[in-house]
Amino acid sequence: DVKVTQSSRYLVKRTGEKVFLECVQDMDHENMFWYRQDPGLGLRLIYFSYDVKMKEKGDIPEGYSVSREKKERFSLILESASTNQTSMYLCASSPFKGSRSGSSYNEQFFGPGTRLTVL
Amino acid sequence: AQKITQTQPGMFVQEKEAVTLDCTYDTSDPSYGLFWYKQPSSGEMIFLIYQGSYDQQNATEGRYSLNFQKARKSANLVISASQLGDSAMYFCAMREPQTGANNLFFGTGTRLTVIP
């Protein structure tokens, strides 16, 4: 059974703290993604990675950085958390675009999400 | 410009009836994929159905079907015989394969409530 796990379901941090959100997938997927989800805005892509040590900015990278030292792990880092980063953070993974995973047509598999509150 | 537009913030449907959730998209790429995801109150995103731009037939998956109208750039999700467990947020998403990682662009979602 495919699995994407995130280190925390709920997290409360203070303004200015450095925050690490961890994501691990066990499907040997090349691609990994970090989104934030806010009411009325849907999911917005923060960063993605298509290989180890590779990263690309998404639509809203400001205030975030990422790290992918191993294929299965993709970390999202908030260098200095701010209240406007209070949100639900979703991690996802998908296989390389040139391949198909059964009938799933390179769907993205999502983790359970981390609800981050910055006070 | 928005790549994916979902114009219905909320929808209600009577149990056992069918409901259509609207989705329109914007792309100039001839090769693209359209996805629908369900997000229950627990938060996880569940993949429901996929439609490729070159697929000749509308996708179906159990009680889910996708009404794909390419010329109108719409990909509406139809849920037949609604169940109480269908109450959730539903997101339409599009993949444009020119990027290296199969990025998905998501709409803002529609909250479906099934009434007993």
Side-chain angles (χ1 to χ4, degrees):
Chain A
D1 201 16
V2 297
K3 200 129 176 120
V4 179
T5 57
Q6 294 183 228
S7 49
S8 307
R9 288 302 303 270
Y10 299 94
L11 208 53
V12 180
K13 295 291 181 181
R14 297 217 171 265
T15 303
E17 280 193 77
K18 190 168 186 175
V19 182
F20 292 86
L21 302 183
E22 304 285 344
C23 175
V24 178
Q25 51 97 0
D26 65 0
M27 297 164 282
D28 202 36
H29 285 167
E30 287 77 10
N31 305 323
M32 296 188 75
F33 309 83
W34 273 107
Y35 296 89
R36 65 175 282 175
Q37 181 182 4
D38 300 288
L41 297 177
L43 278 72
R44 293 179 292 167
L45 183 64
I46 305 171
Y47 267 96
F48 64 96
S49 167
Y50 53 87
D51 203 350
V52 175
K53 295 193 187 293
M54 304 300 289
K55 60 185 179 183
E56 294 281 347
K57 293 179 179 179
D59 298 320
I60 51 163
E62 296 78 19
Y64 303 95
S65 62
V66 290
S67 170
R68 192 160 181 208
E69 296 297 318
K70 293 185 177 181
K71 190 176 185 180
E72 67 271 18
R73 187 179 297 270
F74 192 36
S75 302
L76 180 69
I77 304 156
L78 287 67
E79 294 289 343
S80 177
S82 63
T83 54
N84 62 13
Q85 292 178 309
T86 292
S87 186
M88 168 73 97
Y89 290 87
L90 291 161
C91 174
S93 72
S94 77
F96 176 60
K97 71 174 184 178
S99 68
R100 286 190 171 182
S101 172
S103 62
S104 56
Y105 303 102
N106 294 337
E107 71 184 85
Q108 291 187 11
F109 297 86
F110 282 82
T114 296
R115 188 166 293 282
L116 172 67
T117 302
V118 183
L119 302 174
Chain B
Q2 287 277 57
K3 286 186 178 285
I4 292 285
T5 303
Q6 294 180 257
T7 57
Q8 307 154 314
M11 288 282 286
F12 292 86
V13 64
Q14 204 74 38
E15 194 178 5
K16 298 179 185 172
E17 292 191 351
V19 63
T20 297
L21 305 184
D22 294 342
C23 173
T24 57
Y25 59 92
D26 182 26
T27 181
S28 57
D29 197 315
S31 176
Y32 53 89
L34 296 156
F35 299 76
W36 277 92
Y37 282 84
K38 172 184 178 182
Q39 187 182 42
S41 56
S42 53
E44 79 275 22
M45 297 281 282
I46 301 167
F47 166 71
L48 295 178
I49 197 167
Y50 168 86
Q51 180 86 43
S53 59
Y54 296 122
D55 293 344
Q56 294 298 311
Q57 297 198 334
N58 286 348
T60 60
E61 199 70 52
R63 293 186 300 110
Y64 304 108
S65 61
L66 206 151
N67 184 2
F68 182 45
Q69 297 186 47
K70 199 168 180 177
R72 298 178 64 180
K73 293 189 175 179
S74 76
N76 299 339
L77 176 71
V78 180
I79 306 174
S80 62
S82 296
Q83 302 171 356
L84 296 178
D86 294 334
S87 293
M89 283 289 288
Y90 288 82
F91 290 95
C92 180
M94 178 173 66
R95 172 171 59 88
E96 290 178 314
Q98 79 274 15
T99 61
N102 270 339
N103 293 354
L104 289 181
F105 298 95
F106 284 85
T108 52
T110 295
R111 182 171 296 282
L112 177 66
T113 303
V114 180
I115 304 165

